[in-house]
Amino acid sequence: MFANHKYIAFETIVIKEVRRFARIWLQTLVPPAITIGLYFVIFGNLVGRRIGEMGGFQYMEFIVPGLIMMSVIQNSYSNVVSSFFSHKFQHSIEELLVSPVPNYIILSGFIVGGMARGLAVGTIVTIMSLFFADLSIQNLSITIAVVLLTSIVFALAGFINALFANSFDDISIIPTFVLTPLIYLGGVFYSVELLPPFWKFISALNPIFYMVNTFRYGILGSSDVDITWAFFILGVFIVILYSACIILLRKGTGLRN
Amino acid sequence: MTIAISIKNLAKTYANGFEALKGISLEVEQGDFFALLGPNGAGKSTTIGVISTLVNKTSGSVEVFGKNVDTHVFETKLDFGIVPQEVNFSQFEKVQDIVMTQAGYYGLPRRIARERCEKYLRKLGLWEKRGERSRNLSGGMKRRLMIARALVHEPRLLILDEPTAGVDIELRRSMWKFLTEINNNGTTIILTTHYLEEAEHLCRNIAIIDEGEIVENTNMRKLLAELDSQTYILETSAPVPKGFVFSLQNSSHSIVDENCIEVTVSGGLSINDVFAKLSDSGIKIDSMRNKTNRLEQLFLSKLEGN
């Protein structure tokens, strides 16, 4: 397969993925916007006024980056896991498997599809946040880099979940029992400086903690973590997850008999 | 003659220990219309699954137009199209999008993809349905859509797994006509089917597979020539006279009703001998048909033999 053929195949997968989540926008784009909007109203506005400052910022300002990141993480993950599993469930994944599309193009297409949804919801949430807080981005390149890398990490994780999933229950277990607790304990709503040393150490083991804080650094210019270390962790996760996806695709795990 | 597909000692044992293929070997020549017959669970779909790479083989090799499917993944995949037994496209997508997406997977530029999409949707009578969601199509239309999708990259080899299962007679006939046309235009076709009449009507060569083994692999004419006896139903133009006796060596008969005789011939006796004898008795024949499908008789005898 020549490079231009590969590009057409890649573009086809991405267009198909974007068209899928755009077609069902009431299920994919609106619910996360409403949920995060409620967070802004309840935690940011009503509760936040009583909390006052967090990490040197108004509580609303403090949680906005975390909530944007939360929406990017959840939607990048859920787009890939639900779309890929749905292809498996309907057997339409066979269209791709019998075609000459290389595994890395299949993976890249789904990852970019997941990123597109994560970034679309992230953009909606960012626009909504402007009604609640005055946001001025302190470091645009770090903000963009961390949001892109984070969406890649969770799109890859969603892909692995979809490969192993045999039922619709299997695609909701990880988001419910792993992803949500990690996000909530990842410093979205509080500064890690408030925690006792033991819980501070536990937080340091949570990769989402680094992603949220790096994104917060990009927007507010302040963070609980070392930015270089955070980018290193993101890079390591991408390499490990990408390699795992390629190995699983090559073996045909969850796809071929 | 170029070999379109060559299967050598292909074996597949599933994780539960079921031995679906026990080292089968098979060759199909370029331009052939080839039937792969076998009862349910014989190994037909597993064979197609291995060719299409949806099933990992245990051992053996598959070559498509001289290239190994394991080592020349991309070249071999460009050379064949698969029409599976079960519907395997998204039920939520539109007909045209399904075909266009498949064209994209094969790297076809959009302009060519659009032309091919229209060409095959028109040929298969689906062009008017191009904007319809695929779940709204009838069973026959879904099968035709899978054929259009498999042809969009214009493969040299088309493999169809039970393409006419559950399709009404009229539609089946139109699909036969279409498949014959593309075969005449040079596409090699491998067909698995439960309709033995279909295989007899369309295919030049045949393999019968049973319990993971090839029990017969031959030319269709040679196979049919193996039949010891055939039974014909003859419709007469006038009522058969009472007390009519049909006496001809290597034949037997029975009167079904006053305008119908059933004649069984064997031992090299020709149907012309039967007609001549009936004519001598003053009986004219209006029409004639085989009582049972000839291939069906052979198919069952091969399976019993196995």
Side-chain angles (χ1 to χ4, degrees):
Chain A
M1 209 177 189
F2 298 113
N4 61 329
H5 292 158
K6 287 179 188 168
Y7 176 73
I8 291 171
F10 167 75
E11 187 188 53
T12 303
I13 300 170
V14 173
I15 290 172
K16 186 175 171 169
E17 284 304 290
V18 172
R19 205 165 50 199
R20 188 195 76 89
F21 78 72
R23 187 177 64 228
I24 49 171
W25 58 276
L26 267 172
Q27 298 167 47
T28 52
L29 301 179
V30 175
I34 290 176
T35 307
I36 301 292
L38 288 170
Y39 279 123
F40 284 141
V41 173
I42 296 166
F43 289 102
N45 214 353
L46 302 178
V47 179
R49 265 186 295 192
R50 288 173 180 267
I51 293 173
E53 282 198 350
M54 179 73 71
F57 297 92
Q58 286 297 309
Y59 189 64
M60 179 62 95
E61 286 175 340
F62 182 84
I63 65 166
V64 163
L67 290 175
I68 294 170
M69 206 48 144
M70 183 162 103
S71 64
V72 171
I73 289 170
Q74 285 175 332
N75 285 281
S76 301
Y77 188 95
S78 64
N79 192 72
V80 179
V81 74
S82 60
S83 174
F84 198 81
F85 180 71
S86 161
H87 282 298
K88 269 177 63 173
F89 186 75
Q90 295 185 77
H91 296 283
S92 54
I93 195 64
E94 290 172 7
E95 292 177 330
L96 259 173
L97 298 178
V98 302
S99 76
V101 185
N103 288 334
Y104 74 91
I105 297 285
I106 296 177
L107 180 59
S108 308
F110 277 93
I111 297 315
V112 173
M115 289 170 72
R117 177 165 151 198
L119 298 177
V121 175
T123 306
I124 293 169
V125 171
T126 305
I127 293 167
M128 285 172 63
S129 72
L130 298 176
F131 293 101
F132 298 93
D134 290 326
L135 280 186
S136 57
I137 297 173
Q138 300 302 311
N139 191 323
L140 187 62
S141 50
I142 284 182
T143 306
I144 291 173
V146 75
V147 81
L148 289 177
L149 294 175
T150 303
S151 63
I152 292 173
V153 168
F154 286 95
L156 285 165
F159 193 89
I160 293 174
N161 188 170
L163 282 174
F164 283 105
N166 290 315
S167 69
F168 283 99
D169 284 343
D170 294 341
I171 64 169
S172 63
I173 287 172
I174 301 290
T176 307
F177 296 105
V178 179
L179 209 52
T180 305
L182 284 178
I183 292 170
Y184 277 70
L185 298 171
V188 172
F189 296 102
Y190 56 85
S191 168
V192 76
E193 293 304 320
L194 300 179
L195 299 176
F198 175 75
W199 289 107
K200 216 186 245 184
F201 171 74
I202 295 293
S203 292
L205 300 177
N206 179 359
I208 293 176
F209 168 68
Y210 296 92
M211 299 167 193
V212 167
N213 271 283
T214 309
F215 188 66
R216 185 173 285 136
Y217 176 84
I219 290 182
L220 301 179
S222 165
S223 167
D224 290 342
V225 300
D226 176 3
I227 303 305
T228 314
W229 179 236
F231 276 108
F232 175 74
I233 288 172
L234 273 166
V236 168
F237 266 94
I238 288 172
V239 170
I240 291 172
L241 292 172
Y242 180 84
S243 306
C245 286
I246 291 294
I247 291 166
L248 291 168
L249 277 172
R250 198 174 295 156
K251 282 173 70 180
T253 304
L255 298 172
R256 299 176 208 269
N257 277 307
Chain B
M1 177 59 84
T2 308
I3 301 297
I5 193 157
S6 169
I7 296 171
K8 284 180 189 147
N9 304 317
L10 188 63
K12 170 66 187 176
T13 305
Y14 284 98
N16 61 6
F18 176 66
E19 219 178 336
L21 296 174
K22 299 170 183 168
I24 64 164
S25 294
L26 199 64
E27 279 191 349
V28 178
E29 289 180 353
Q30 184 174 17
D32 200 358
F33 207 134
F34 190 92
L36 185 61
L37 298 187
N40 287 334
K44 304 185 297 290
S45 294
T46 301
T47 306
I48 291 177
V50 172
I51 297 168
S52 63
T53 71
L54 290 174
V55 174
N56 291 329
K57 66 179 187 298
T58 306
S59 63
S61 69
V62 177
E63 287 184 0
V64 175
F65 292 102
K67 287 177 180 161
N68 192 300
V69 294
D70 297 325
T71 53
H72 295 76
V73 180
F74 307 123
E75 296 98 315
T76 52
K77 283 185 170 184
L78 284 172
D79 267 334
F80 64 74
I82 301 274
V83 180
Q85 199 176 122
E86 304 291 338
V87 169
N88 71 344
F89 48 70
S90 166
Q91 301 288 310
F92 304 105
E93 283 188 64
K94 290 177 182 171
V95 169
Q96 193 169 20
D97 292 340
I98 288 169
V99 182
M100 287 293 287
T101 298
Q102 191 72 3
Y105 293 161
Y106 284 84
L108 294 182
R110 237 177 142 62
R111 185 183 57 78
I112 297 173
R114 257 198 301 271
E115 284 170 13
R116 299 250 186 104
C117 177
E118 181 174 350
K119 176 182 166 185
Y120 288 108
L121 287 181
R122 280 192 190 281
K123 271 182 183 282
L124 287 152
L126 289 170
W127 182 244
E128 303 305 321
K129 299 280 180 186
R130 63 188 181 280
E132 199 79 53
R133 297 235 180 265
S134 64
R135 66 169 179 264
N136 298 329
L137 299 181
S138 67
M141 286 176 180
K142 285 178 181 172
R143 293 202 176 273
R144 280 182 283 156
L145 174 56
M146 290 197 291
I147 296 176
R149 186 186 61 180
L151 286 171
V152 75
H153 64 287
E154 302 198 329
R156 290 196 283 169
L157 170 64
L158 181 66
I159 302 170
L160 304 109
D161 195 0
E162 310 264 0
T164 54
V167 169
D168 67 49
I169 294 165
E170 194 186 346
L171 190 59
R172 195 181 308 159
R173 296 273 167 181
S174 75
M175 279 168 74
W176 288 4
K177 196 177 158 201
F178 175 75
L179 293 174
T180 305
E181 186 188 320
I182 60 165
N183 179 242
N184 289 339
N185 289 335
T187 307
T188 309
I189 297 180
I190 298 176
L191 177 85
T192 77
T193 179
H194 270 119
Y195 300 108
L196 302 178
E197 181 200 2
E198 185 165 271
E200 187 181 342
H201 182 87
L202 294 170
C203 302
R204 290 189 283 279
N205 291 296
I206 183 170
I208 297 175
I209 185 169
D210 186 33
E211 296 179 358
E213 290 174 303
I214 301 287
V215 295
E216 185 63 87
N217 184 8
T218 185
N219 179 280
M220 185 71 80
R221 279 189 186 173
K222 276 187 195 163
L223 184 67
L224 292 172
E226 285 181 23
L227 272 177
D228 288 337
S229 66
Q230 291 193 63
T231 302
Y232 300 100
I233 305 291
L234 307 172
E235 302 283 345
T236 61
S237 53
V240 179
K242 283 197 175 148
F244 166 74
V245 177
F246 182 75
S247 163
L248 191 63
Q249 203 178 3
N250 292 334
S251 77
S252 61
H253 81 285
S254 63
I255 309 291
V256 179
D257 63 39
E258 63 175 8
N259 280 87
C260 185
I261 310 169
E262 186 179 306
V263 180
T264 301
V265 296
S266 58
L269 189 68
S270 152
I271 188 68
N272 284 332
D273 299 330
V274 175
F275 283 146
K277 185 73 180 172
L278 287 169
S279 181
D280 289 347
S281 307
I283 295 173
K284 278 189 167 180
I285 303 300
D286 269 355
S287 66
M288 178 198 86
R289 63 185 162 84
N290 276 86
K291 186 182 180 185
T292 53
N293 179 268
R294 297 179 300 163
L295 184 56
E296 192 171 307
Q297 287 177 32
L298 279 164
F299 179 70
L300 292 171
S301 72
K302 295 285 174 190
L303 295 188
E304 278 167 17
N306 191 41

